[in-house]
Amino acid sequence: MSLLEVRNLRVRFETARGWVQAVDSVSFDLDAGESLALVGESGSGKSVTAMALVSLLPRPPAVIETGEARFDGRNLLALGERELRRVRGREIGFVFQDPSTSLHPLMTLGEQLTEALRVHEKVSQRVARARAIEALAEVGIAEPDARVDSYPHELSGGMRQRALIAMALMCRPKLLIADEPTTALDVTVQAQILELLRELQRRHGLAILLITHDLGLVADFARRVHVMYAGSIVESASASELFARPAHPYTLGLLRSVPTLATSLEHPLSTIPGSAPDPTKSVHGCPFRPRCGFALASCESSRPPLLPPLGLQRAAALLSAQGSRRSACFESARVAAEART
Ligand SMILES: Nc1ncnc2c1ncn2[C@@H]1O[C@H](COP(=O)(O)OP(=O)(O)OP(=O)(O)O)[C@@H](O)[C@H]1O
Ligand code: SF4
Ligand SMILES: [Mg+2]
């Protein structure tokens, strides 16, 4: 049994413009100690998926239409607020995009780090402070005994993000959800934070759900990658398979827009033309069709299901121990063939 099993999650929002289908039939598994990435453009439903798992969506306007999220055997979506409070912070930790909005400006790091401990565990102030110093040291903050009394504005962006990771891990959760944890940071610091997450994962057997719009970040980080488009997972594969042979035109487009050392004047970066469909309108056929260079007339008549790529099943089964490669595209074999050229 996986640590987290998400099945058929559908979330929509009631807005002045009508219903917004933010997450549409999302399913995935995450094993204990595993790293998984949800990748996609802005608005594709990554954060709403993560927030729905731990009931952090404002309801209304959000409505969870269907779905199950089994975490350690319990359906998170059916838990009451008291049980959820136990799970949040204690069993599932979070790191969000912008450290400046996630840390309280008027509280010291020590006060913020020990808050979760005081809520979840009955420990003395002395023990809590010692644990906070230990946690700051673990995330690589120098002079943690002094830093524990610092205010957020006294730290650099990278240090604030480290402090947030320390905070998320105070109660030693089994799962860390990191939603764009490095977006606000410069490239060097980004790499350091990802390396820190990898190290913490190895040391504590932590499962990590990494959410990012940047496919370039996940290559060395996640074992499995789910690519989201317009609220749905459109491709799912191990990171190595996905990078070697994308089987959905959207993934191929994302890969071609990742800067590499080979990017040059002769081989400039490409972008995916067009924009995602209006989430208030129901889509007939494949939602990626208006932007897709592989589209055929048949792509208009029905929506492609998320299945092992046609024509690639045998190769996929050979390549992947789990044989769990999926793509929601009628032309996946053609896409994979083009990706190799
Ligand atoms: N509170 C809300 N009210 C109405 N619509 C919302 C709300 N929160 C999210 N949405 C909509 O749900 C969809 C998915 O949003 P979500 O925040 O999950 O995107 P995302 O993939 O995390 O994007 P980003 O990379 O920009 O963070 C979007 O169309 C968004 O406008
Ligand atoms: S199903 Fe058709 S339109 Fe959709 S991604 Fe595949 S080729 Fe493109
Ligand atoms: Mg988001």
Side-chain angles (χ1 to χ4, degrees), residues 248-249 286-289 292 294-296 299 304 328-331 334-335:
H248 193 285
C286 176
F288 192 60
R289 200 186 56 81
C292 182
F294 293 83
L296 302 174
C299 301
C329 173
F330 296 126
E331 295 296 312
R334 199 153 56 92
V335 179

Side-chain angles (χ1 to χ4, degrees), residues 13 90 97 117 145 170 230 279 286 292 311:
F13 289 93
R90 187 175 190 179
Q97 181 167 348
L117 270 188
D145 325 46
M170 276 303 276
C286 176
C292 182

